[in-house]
């Protein structure tokens, strides 16, 4: 049974890194557990450890993480309901400044993508333009389901790397 100090250290670790994978603090918790209470301290090593947990979690658990992501420039963003991390990432790509035509295009693509694959379009948008994101959206709609799921998992890991780089500065 962990003592109060161990529990406090674990809780602090999960509080700091639990949002690296969208709405999935169980990944940070598992990294802490697997490390015996001494998790990696640098962003790259921590990213490898978190990705190892994510990739070994099994398809259903991975799909839970995929489905935890919001639509890009979607209804949740418009309502101000994104996590702080997602808000900053979408803002960095200018998704908070879409024209009405761009918003309609994003809505149409989000709906088509969700209907085709059963999960939201995921892309590490930090540093990307709206035009680049829309082009990727349209291109990836042509993928088969397995290719697109694998692409989504890769993109989630890219997002995690960017978030960890910020947190570990």
């Amino acid at each position: 049974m962990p003592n109060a100090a161990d529990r406090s250290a674990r809780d602090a670790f999960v509080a700091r890194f639990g949002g690296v994978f969208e709405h999935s603090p169980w990944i940070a918790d598992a990294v802490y557990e697997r490390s015996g209470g001494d998790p990696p301290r640098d962003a790259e090593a921590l990213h490898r450890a978190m990705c190892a947990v994510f990739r070994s979690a099994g398809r259903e658990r991975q799909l839970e993480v995929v489905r935890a992501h919001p639509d890009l420039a979607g209804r949740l963003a418009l309502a101000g309901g994104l996590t702080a991390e997602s808000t900053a990432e979408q803002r960095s790509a200018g998704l908070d400044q879409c024209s009405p035509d761009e918003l309609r295009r994003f809505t149409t693509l989000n709906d088509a993508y969700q209907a085709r694959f059963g999960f939201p379009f995921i892309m590490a948008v930090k540093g990307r333009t709206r035009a680049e994101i829309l082009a990727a959206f349209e291109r990836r709609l042509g993928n088969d389901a397995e290719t697109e799921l694998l692409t989504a998992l890769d993109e989630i890991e890219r997002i995690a790397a960017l978030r960890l780089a910020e947190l570990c500065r």
Side-chain angles (χ1 to χ4, degrees):
M1 177 157 217
N3 65 36
D6 292 338
R7 186 77 229 156
S8 179
R10 181 185 206 134
D11 290 349
F13 180 82
V14 173
R16 182 170 183 200
F17 297 109
V20 168
F21 282 76
E22 194 85 6
H23 297 292
S24 302
W26 61 268
I27 294 173
D29 191 62
V31 166
Y32 193 90
E33 178 71 27
R34 287 182 181 187
S35 73
D38 188 23
R41 307 228 187 281
D42 69 279
E44 289 179 22
L46 188 51
H47 184 253
R48 282 190 302 275
M50 293 183 97
C51 289
V53 168
F54 178 53
R55 291 294 178 146
S56 68
R59 186 56 52 100
E60 284 307 310
R61 202 85 198 259
Q62 290 170 347
L63 279 167
E64 288 174 16
V65 176
V66 170
R67 290 182 179 125
H69 283 260
D71 286 336
L72 294 179
R75 293 166 189 87
L76 195 58
L78 296 174
L82 300 179
T83 63
E85 296 88 355
S86 288
T87 298
E89 291 155 3
Q90 290 200 26
R91 185 179 302 124
S92 79
L95 296 181
D96 61 333
Q97 299 171 7
C98 289
S99 69
D101 285 341
E102 287 172 322
L103 280 176
R104 277 191 292 280
R105 197 163 162 209
F106 270 107
T107 298
T108 299
L109 289 167
N110 280 322
D111 291 347
Y113 189 94
Q114 185 71 247
R116 178 163 167 78
F117 299 112
F119 52 84
F121 175 80
I122 299 172
M123 182 177 179
V125 298
K126 190 172 186 176
R128 302 289 183 97
T129 66
R130 291 188 303 270
E132 289 173 316
I133 296 164
L134 286 166
F137 219 140
E138 290 171 346
R139 183 179 63 254
R140 286 175 49 192
L141 263 168
N143 284 344
D144 63 85
E146 183 64 19
T147 298
E148 195 51 30
L149 178 59
L150 294 174
T151 301
L153 298 179
D154 289 343
E155 290 293 323
I156 287 170
E157 289 180 354
R158 283 188 191 97
I159 293 165
L162 293 167
R163 289 178 179 183
L164 282 167
E166 288 287 318
L167 285 169
C168 293
R169 281 186 194 194

